[in-house]
Structure formats: structure tokens, C-alpha cells
Amino acid sequence: MSTDTIDTIDTFDQTSSGASDHPLNPLSVDEIRAVRRIVDDNGLLGPDVRFVYVALDEPHKKVVMAFKPGDPIDRRARVLLLDRATGQGSDLVVSVTNDRIDGNVAVDGSAEGHVPILDQEFEDIESFLLECPEWLAAMGKRELDPAKVRAVPLSAGVFGHEDEVGKRIVRVLAFYQYDAADLPWAHPIDGVVAYVDLTRRTVVKVIDEIKLPLPTERGEWDAEPHAVPARTDLKPIEITQPEGASFTVDGNQITWADWSFRFGFDVREGLTLHQLSLRDGDRERPVVYRASVAEMVVPYADPSPVRYWQNYFDQGEYLFGRYTNSLELGCDCLGEIKYFDVAIAGEDGNPRVMKNAICLHEEDYGVLWKHTDMFNEMAETRRSRRLVISFFLTIGNYDYGFYWYLYLDGTIQLEAKATGIVFASAYRGPDGYSTEMAPGLGAPFHQHMFSARLDMSVDGDVNVVEEVDAVAVPVGPDNPWGNAFRPQRTKLTRESEGMRIADNLKARVWHITNPTKQNRLGQNTGYALHPEGQPVLLADPSSSIAKRAAFATKHLWVTKYDPAERYSAGDFVNQHPGNAGLPSFVAQDRNIDGEDIVVWHTFGLTHFPRPEDWPVMPVDYAGFKLKPVGFFDRNPSLNAPLAPKSHCCES
Ligand SMILES: [Cu+2]
């Protein structure tokens, strides 16, 4: 699971200083070292204490907005620690600037949930199983060599089991690995699960429901029966930019065409965008103050006694940013690429640099606009281009990419890519909850639900949200022929009204507008959130996961800005019983009409795996778009460059 550590500070962007100093820069290697030293100096680093999370504690928006180059910067880190000997977590604020601990709160694992799961905790699991007679008996019953059993520890959730209260629990499903080259995911040992206490380092319970046949067909894409030679009938496609890329980079600040923004990286959220704005003539116009994917969850549909609990919060429980891939030219991105390294803290608190973690490049995107006129013979085509900033990570069997796109017409898009190997089970037949992928091998139905946190600032912080539906007008004196339809606008004025479901049959979008700023036509300037309108959480409202992933029960939430409200399912998701995060934020029912607001958007995939998703799944996509609506006075891309004639005329 772990990413290799290559600590090459000479090419590390985020240690840069001088003009690039900014309050939102991610923690540097030196700052991570300082955090560790300060924690140690204050006697908080016992022999069993591990660093779960270390990241920039972002200053208040007001501080960031007022910042001028050269101003003093107060650098603070948020730090989560776990004492593995006791299971006690703590939540610290460490001031790097002032060399002190500014906050230290014990995390109550029974009431609040636990700090996320360490890689070290995962790595120990197989040894616990080998010491458990019930587990060994279950493997013996299946005539399996326990030494070839790969344990996959998974977050436990909360199901009211009294013997789990206050304990750090994981549930362990197992896969068989015939030899070192074998992909264990193809050989699920189904019908049996172990519950493990991570602090006491013991197996609490083994549930051996049923002995199911072990699927034996191999799952490597380059082995029998799947292996095929790579096709040779496709000629190379080379992307060349002879004059280089069109973006400029200054530390974490990026400018491209009329866009400018900063980026950050957080081990929990991954890539974050900050202060995204557009230059319009001589004005710099803000659109989004901060954009991130603030949580995600993968709930599974298999109700069997050994799998009903399967729900992974890949951020709040697993801190998926630490599994970011090192990208390589010609592999993940094409063209003139700028890579950025990222520093995170290892579990010992020492810095770990992930090389080429973030990729920045431009892409041609077909036709931007075009017309051939029948009267005046105007004929023109302008090509679309987009700036892409992305990262990819591997968490267990799955791989996720997150791609932010900025377009010349003012569109902002987020695309999540899901690929890798589907989580497998034994196939229990057509009435079950999985697709047969290979002989006897099932892939349980599941969803991938993402929550984007969009701290909007459309032309400033005073914003309102309207739901806009396409509605037919009843036949009447004003509509005698019945052809009329129009957009129907409903303003969302309080947080209780801001919980909404998409409706593609009404072309439903949400307009985020600024009532104090108008375009040349007198319309309030705005951006529209275009949802894909895929299903929200399908689990029953009474289920544990519906409470714990309440964010995923609505496509839209709107909250009044509060810097402490960062995570859609709450700060401590691991074994949290539920109703944290968005449902507790909106319980305040604050005014959202003409306030500084945060828009939270749930999007995702409902995945009934196909045989074509085996042995490795072609990328599936989910995301959303933010498109300007009255933000500009006219098409903002009239200035897109003409395509060189040579491109069109060569035959
Ligand atoms: Cu899936």
C-alpha cells in the first residue's frame, strides 16, 4: 500500500521561498521536520505514538485575502497523533512560527470516532490472524495454506456491536495468493471474516458463515487466460508544443489564459485549488475561493453476514492522499508537462516526498465554437483548449484520478476517474448482489460517492443560490398552442432549503450568483453548477451508512461559510456513528441568502460491474461542471486564436 520514499529535496518545489511565500503553501519538508521536533520537545512523542495526519492549518480567509508579498506569515499545522499502545488519538495545532503547541484535544473514540487507520496497523494484521486458532481452522476447512492468505483489513463502520465500543476495530477479508506473481484479488476467500482489535492486537471474532468455492482462474492481465499481445495497428500520436506550454508557474501560483489560481495538497483531500479567478479586461474576478473533494465513500450492496459492513471512506478513514502515484511522462499525461512534488509526513513524523505527484498540462479539446453563415459567408472555427491539473492514487484494489479542467469559455470541470481492480467475492448466483466476472468470481454491486466542497466567491463573497428547473407552461390564454416552457427559479434562502436532489428530466441546475454585481444586461453575474444527476446513496435511510455518509443522500448542500466546517462526513469518520459533517452543519439552519456560502456537491458512480471490468477496469468517470451564466457580457472566448490554416489544408 505504501508509496516509495525518495527524499530529493533539490527538485522539490514547495521548499521554494522568497516571492513564492504564501500563507496557503503546503507545509515544506523543513516545516514538517519542525512539527515533529515541536511535538517531541513538548513530551508528546512516546515510543508508541505515531503521526496519523500532518498538514497546513489554513489561515482564515480574511488573512489570506489581505495578504501582500512580504507580510509575516503565521504557519501552523494540524496534527493527529495515535498512541498505538492505548488507541488514544489526539488532535493538535502546532505553531511552527512560534515553536509551540497551540492546541491539544483528546479524541473520544467512543463518541466522536477514531483517528484514521495507519499503514502500520494494516501491516500487522496477517501476523494476528496466524495466531488465531479460529482463523486457522477456517483456512484448514477450506484446505488453504495460511501462509498464502493475504489479509485485507477494511474500515469497520458502526453497527451497534457492544464488544466494539471504544475499540479500534477493522474487519478483515482474505484473498489467496498462489505465488508471488499471482494477483490475490482474483481469489477471494469468501464466507469468512475476522474482526480485529488494532490496539490489543488480537482477533476479536471470526465469522465463518459458509464455505464457498475459491475462484481459481488467475487475474493478472498479462497471464493466462487473459494475456494478449499489444496491438500493432495504431500509429503513434505525438503531442508537440514547439514553443512550450502556455501556463506560468510561480511557486504554487498558476496562470493560464485568463485563469489564475493556487494549488495545495493535503494528505486527506489530495489536490486543492485556491483563489480561482478570471482576468476580465483589467479586472481580476474571483469565482471560487477554495475547491476540493472533501470526502468520498464506497458503500457496497452485499447484505451477507460477512460483507454487510463494507463501506470505505477513502479520505476520512484512510487519508487517500498518502497513496498518490508518482506520475511518469508519456504514461499518465501527454504533452508539455509540469510536475510538482508533494511533501507529507510519514507515520514517524519525518517528511516523505512524493515525486511528480501533481501533473499540470494543456490539452486540445476539439471545437470551441464554429459557424458558416449562409448570408454573409462568415466562416470560422476556433479550437477549444483546457488546462488540466490532476493527481492519481492507488488505494488497495482501486485507482482514482482527480482531474480539474479550466476552459477558455470560463467552464470549470472536475472529473474523477475510477479504474483498477474491482473488489471481488465468490459469486453466489443470479439472485445475489454481484456480477459474475470470471468462473465463480463475483464483483459486488457498489457506489463511489464523492463530495466536492466548493467555497464559492462569484465576483466576491456575497452569493445566493437558485435552483433552476425547465418547466412546461400550462395551456391557457398566454400559451394557447401549448408549446411554452421556461426556466423556473427558486431561491434557496436557508440551509434547510439547500439540501437538494438533482433532476435531469427538469434539466435542473443550481445558479450561484452575486446580487451586488451585474453584467451589461443588468443580470446578476453567476456560475451554474451542472450535476450529472446520477443516483445518491442507495442504502436504506435506516441503515448505518445512511447516517454516517449522510452527505451522499443529497446532491446539493449549501452552508454559510465556517472555516471549521471542512469535511462532509465530519472530522473523525473512522467508527463515527453518524450525523457528523453536513447534517450537523445545516442543523444550524443559517441564512444563505446573500452570504459567504459554501456549496457541497455529491456526485458519483453506481457500479454494477461488467465482465469487461475484469481483470482490470477501463476508466469510468464521474464529475460536474461549473459554467458561467451571465458572468460575462458575451462569449468570453471570441479571442481564442485562429487555427493555423496549414492544419486544415494538408491532405
Ligand atoms: Cu466501482
Side-chain angles (χ1 to χ4, degrees):
M1 296 274 268
S2 64
T3 307
D4 286 342
T5 303
I6 313 167
D7 201 343
T8 47
I9 295 167
D10 54 324
T11 60
F12 181 54
D13 293 288
Q14 286 159 16
T15 54
S16 60
S17 57
S20 301
D21 277 353
H22 190 275
L24 292 178
N25 280 358
L27 294 178
S28 69
V29 162
D30 288 342
E31 288 174 321
I32 291 170
R33 286 202 182 99
V35 166
R36 187 185 192 285
R37 180 186 53 72
I38 295 164
V39 169
D40 196 10
D41 287 352
N42 283 271
L44 301 174
L45 197 53
D48 296 303
V49 173
R50 298 291 177 269
F51 289 81
V52 180
Y53 172 87
V54 177
L56 178 71
D57 186 33
E58 287 177 23
H60 194 281
K61 185 185 279 191
K62 285 184 183 141
V63 174
V64 175
M65 306 274 270
F67 176 78
K68 304 270 186 309
D71 285 356
I73 304 175
D74 185 17
R75 296 286 283 175
R76 306 207 304 178
R78 187 169 185 194
V79 177
L80 302 180
L81 300 176
L82 173 68
D83 188 334
R84 289 200 65 193
T86 62
Q88 180 62 52
S90 42
D91 184 2
L92 314 182
V93 177
V94 176
S95 171
V96 176
T97 304
N98 297 316
D99 202 336
R100 67 179 186 222
I101 306 286
D102 279 353
N104 182 358
V105 179
V107 179
D108 180 348
S110 307
E112 290 182 277
H114 289 263
V115 297
I117 304 163
L118 295 169
D119 278 335
Q120 283 187 0
E121 291 178 303
F122 284 143
E123 287 158 10
D124 290 347
I125 297 285
E126 284 183 15
S127 65
F128 304 161
L129 295 178
L130 289 172
E131 291 167 8
C132 172
E134 292 86 355
W135 181 261
L136 295 175
M139 295 305 110
K141 190 166 109 186
R142 291 165 175 77
E143 298 169 347
L144 299 175
D145 175 0
K148 293 183 176 177
V149 173
R150 299 285 79 83
V152 178
L154 300 162
S155 53
V158 179
F159 296 91
H161 304 320
E162 288 194 356
D163 56 352
E164 295 181 352
V165 174
K167 294 177 182 162
R168 279 176 76 76
I169 299 288
V170 290
R171 310 193 198 280
V172 183
L173 294 174
F175 294 80
Y176 204 64
Q177 187 173 29
Y178 286 98
D179 52 67
D182 192 22
L183 265 182
W185 306 113
H187 316 300
I189 304 168
D190 206 351
V192 59
V193 60
Y195 297 175
V196 169
D197 182 330
L198 294 171
T199 307
R200 289 164 190 79
R201 300 172 183 242
T202 55
V203 178
V204 178
K205 189 183 285 180
V206 173
I207 298 172
D208 191 349
E209 177 208 358
I210 182 173
K211 181 182 164 188
L212 293 162
L214 186 79
T216 55
E217 184 179 280
R218 291 185 75 112
E220 305 97 279
W221 50 83
D222 60 355
E224 285 296 319
H226 309 296
V228 285
R231 61 191 306 151
T232 56
D233 55 348
L234 297 180
K235 305 287 189 287
I237 292 181
E238 302 288 349
I239 307 295
T240 58
Q241 294 181 269
E243 295 173 41
S246 317
F247 50 77
T248 60
V249 176
D250 176 10
N252 285 57
Q253 172 85 30
I254 312 238
T255 52
W256 176 79
D258 293 326
W259 290 103
S260 75
F261 65 98
R262 310 193 68 83
F263 71 91
F265 189 92
D266 177 278
V267 69
R268 179 163 178 169
E269 294 177 285
L271 179 63
T272 54
L273 304 189
H274 306 264
Q275 295 182 290
L276 183 65
S277 66
L278 276 159
R279 193 182 60 246
D280 182 9
D282 53 7
R283 287 185 299 162
E284 194 65 36
R285 301 177 64 190
V287 180
V288 186
Y289 176 74
R290 188 182 191 283
S292 66
V293 175
E295 190 54 89
M296 64 166 288
V297 66
V298 186
Y300 280 75
D302 186 338
S304 73
V306 290
R307 286 176 181 265
Y308 66 90
W309 46 267
Q310 255 188 294
N311 303 292
Y312 323 138
F313 292 77
D314 287 315
Q315 295 192 3
E317 293 176 335
Y318 293 97
L319 302 178
F320 73 3
R322 62 187 160 155
Y323 305 125
T324 296
N325 295 169
S326 287
L327 303 172
E328 291 174 52
L329 187 64
C331 190
D332 287 10
C333 307
L334 282 178
E336 289 286 314
I337 312 289
K338 168 73 179 167
Y339 289 109
F340 300 95
D341 299 345
V342 160
I344 64 171
E347 292 175 3
D348 59 3
N350 289 313
R352 202 183 100 196
V353 174
M354 299 189 294
K355 294 281 294 172
N356 293 3
I358 296 169
C359 172
L360 178 72
H361 73 293
E362 293 172 277
E363 285 178 357
D364 180 273
Y365 197 62
V367 173
L368 172 61
W369 57 261
K370 165 181 181 79
H371 179 60
T372 303
D373 195 79
M374 61 189 285
F375 294 116
N376 76 355
E377 296 179 2
M378 285 177 93
E380 221 162 276
T381 300
R382 305 289 175 98
R383 290 195 71 79
S384 178
R385 196 190 287 210
R386 61 189 187 183
L387 184 72
V388 190
I389 186 164
S390 67
F391 77 112
F392 232 112
L393 60 93
T394 302
I395 181 155
N397 54 303
Y398 250 93
D399 303 74
Y400 292 106
F402 294 88
Y403 286 63
W404 289 95
Y405 301 112
L406 304 176
Y407 294 82
L408 295 175
D409 69 353
T411 299
I412 303 163
Q413 181 185 1
L414 175 63
E415 184 176 78
K417 306 188 185 193
T419 179
I421 301 177
V422 291
F423 199 92
S425 64
Y427 180 61
R428 297 200 189 202
D431 296 331
Y433 296 87
S434 70
T435 305
E436 189 170 28
M437 309 294 278
L441 182 83
F445 312 145
H446 59 276
Q447 296 184 285
H448 305 256
M449 309 300 294
F450 305 90
S451 175
R453 179 182 182 277
L454 304 167
D455 181 352
M456 300 301 294
S457 81
V458 177
D459 265 333
D461 279 336
V462 177
N463 286 171
V464 303
V465 181
E466 289 173 316
E467 182 166 282
V468 182
D469 285 353
V471 295
V473 177
V475 173
D478 294 335
N479 181 29
W481 300 97
N483 61 303
F485 61 91
R486 59 158 59 110
Q488 173 181 284
R489 299 167 185 280
T490 308
K491 194 195 272 185
L492 310 177
T493 64
R494 305 202 70 81
E495 288 175 331
S496 56
E497 298 168 5
M499 297 178 279
R500 305 297 302 160
I501 296 288
D503 188 346
N504 285 355
L505 293 180
K506 294 188 172 123
R508 179 171 289 170
V509 293
W510 295 289
H511 287 189
I512 300 116
T513 60
N514 187 324
T516 71
K517 300 282 166 59
Q518 284 77 36
N519 63 16
R520 73 186 178 115
L521 305 166
Q523 301 153 345
N524 293 342
T525 61
Y527 259 76
L529 171 60
H530 289 250
E532 289 181 343
Q534 293 295 311
V536 291
L537 189 80
L538 288 161
D540 191 85
S542 69
S543 64
S544 169
I545 191 60
K547 296 181 182 70
R548 300 186 61 233
F551 74 85
T553 63
K554 309 287 179 195
H555 289 106
L556 186 81
W557 305 70
V558 185
T559 58
K560 184 167 183 281
Y561 171 74
D562 177 343
E565 296 175 355
R566 275 279 294 277
Y567 303 115
S568 321
D571 280 22
F572 300 106
V573 180
N574 187 19
Q575 293 181 261
H576 192 291
N579 294 318
L582 280 166
S584 71
F585 305 159
V586 303
Q588 301 165 80
D589 201 18
R590 291 164 294 194
N591 178 47
I592 51 171
D593 180 3
E595 295 282 356
D596 183 1
I597 54 167
V598 179
V599 169
W600 308 70
H601 175 46
T602 302
F603 61 98
L605 298 165
T606 295
H607 194 180
F608 298 119
R610 307 167 298 152
E612 290 86 347
D613 293 335
W614 192 258
V616 63
M617 174 186 159
V619 167
D620 209 347
Y621 302 91
F624 63 90
K625 286 179 183 163
L626 283 164
K627 298 177 77 163
V629 55
F631 189 80
F632 296 104
D633 291 336
R634 57 182 61 78
N635 180 347
S637 62
L638 296 179
N639 60 358
L642 291 157
K645 281 275 185 275
S646 60
H647 282 214
C648 308
C649 301
E650 284 174 11
S651 57

